[in-house]
């Protein structure tokens, strides 16, 4: 597994992140992943989708960053985008709750699928903090280096951009976003949309109407419709 070659080097991200691939933590991360593969462990998402969020969402066109934890660990679920699954997969519980909140908040028409790539293509970075996971072992790739990489991504966006909406759902995401420059960006926080916590602060947060209003003031928009 050569992570540097997997990253879209022809994208607008590359100039900002290329040095990370030479860092010792990244060398160690790649070594760990290759060792896991040699042990015949199944890693999600597939190699070509590890950096899918950066392939679909341009740095130059970035509008919204939603921060999560790690990929789905069930078979065929993880596709490199936070909360998203392939078009023919069952919609996971947290995403169902996101759809419910959107429906109440902005009249979002709830689709029959969980493919969020249309959002990503419009400038919504669906960023997991940890970009790989072992099959059926949630958080199995924690503290292996991915957190440092995604911390650097968040720092770069905070420093180099202005007027981005950062969405932090749950304690993990809030901690991850603690260094965002809130004088330059809108930061929205609420409980995680998981069924365990959605009724304790996620439902009724009205984040999507706030995102729409903030972007409208900058003459930007996201078409949240998922056909």
């Amino acid at each position: 597994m050569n992570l540097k070659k997997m990253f879209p080097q022809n994208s607008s991200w590359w100039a900002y992140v290329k040095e990370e691939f030479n860092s010792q933590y990244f060398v160690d991360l790649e070594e760990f992943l290759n060792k896991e593969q040699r042990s015949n462990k199944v890693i999600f998402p597939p190699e070509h989708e590890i950096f899918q969020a950066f392939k679909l969402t341009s740095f130059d066109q970035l509008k919204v960053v939603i921060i999560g934890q790690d990929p789905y660990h069930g078979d065929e679920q993880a596709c490199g985008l936070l909360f998203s699954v392939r078009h023919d997969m069952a919609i996971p519980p947290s995403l169902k709750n996101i759809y419910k909140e959107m429906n109440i908040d902005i009249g979002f028409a709830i689709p029959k699928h969980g493919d969020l790539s249309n959002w990503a293509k419009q400038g919504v970075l669906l960023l997991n903090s940890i970009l790989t996971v072992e099959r059926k072992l949630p958080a199995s790739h924690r503290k292996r280096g991915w957190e440092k990489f995604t911390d650097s991504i968040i720092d770069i966006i905070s420093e180099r951009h202005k007027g981005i909406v950062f969405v932090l759902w749950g304690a993990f995401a809030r901690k991850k976003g603690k260094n965002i420059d809130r004088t330059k960006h809108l930061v929205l926080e609420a409980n995680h949309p998981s069924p365990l916590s959605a009724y304790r602060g996620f439902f009724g947060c009205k984040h999507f109407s706030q995102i729409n209003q903030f972007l409208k003031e900058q003459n930007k928009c996201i078409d949240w419709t998922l056909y």
Side-chain angles (χ1 to χ4, degrees), residues 124-179:
V124 182
L125 183 66
L126 299 165
L127 182 66
N128 276 308
S129 299
I130 304 158
L131 299 188
T132 56
V133 69
E134 184 180 342
R135 179 178 181 261
K136 296 191 176 179
L137 285 176
S140 50
H141 290 183
R142 286 187 66 189
K143 298 182 179 179
R144 293 293 183 175
W146 281 127
E147 294 94 334
K148 290 184 179 180
F149 178 73
T150 51
D151 278 346
S152 72
I153 294 293
I154 293 166
D155 289 344
I156 288 164
I157 295 169
S158 180
E159 292 168 10
R160 302 278 183 162
H161 261 295
K162 185 177 180 180
I164 301 297
V165 185
F166 287 88
V167 181
L168 313 177
W169 291 330
F172 184 93
R174 285 174 179 161
K175 185 176 180 181
K176 187 80 173 173
K178 67 182 185 299
N179 293 327

Side-chain angles (χ1 to χ4, degrees), residues 18 30 56 64 67 113 141 175 203 205:
K18 60 184 179 182
E30 195 169 86
L56 296 186
V64 178
I67 299 172
H113 67 86
H141 290 183
K175 185 176 180 181
F203 287 132
C205 68

Side-chain angles (χ1 to χ4, degrees), residues 37-101:
Q37 283 189 324
R38 289 194 297 272
S39 300
N40 294 318
K41 293 181 180 179
V42 178
I43 296 172
F44 295 140
E47 288 187 15
H48 69 281
E49 291 181 325
I50 289 174
F51 295 114
Q52 187 74 349
F54 303 95
K55 293 177 181 178
L56 296 186
T57 306
S58 163
F59 180 85
D60 294 340
Q61 302 300 319
L62 192 61
K63 299 169 186 172
V64 178
V65 181
I66 305 179
I67 299 172
Q69 194 161 346
D70 63 344
Y72 295 121
H73 57 273
D75 289 335
E76 304 296 327
Q77 285 186 299
C79 59
L81 300 177
L82 172 67
F83 291 123
S84 183
V85 291
R86 303 178 201 290
H87 206 279
D88 58 350
M89 296 290 294
I91 302 171
S94 291
L95 184 54
K96 284 184 179 179
N97 285 339
I98 292 170
Y99 285 173
K100 287 179 185 177
E101 171 61 19

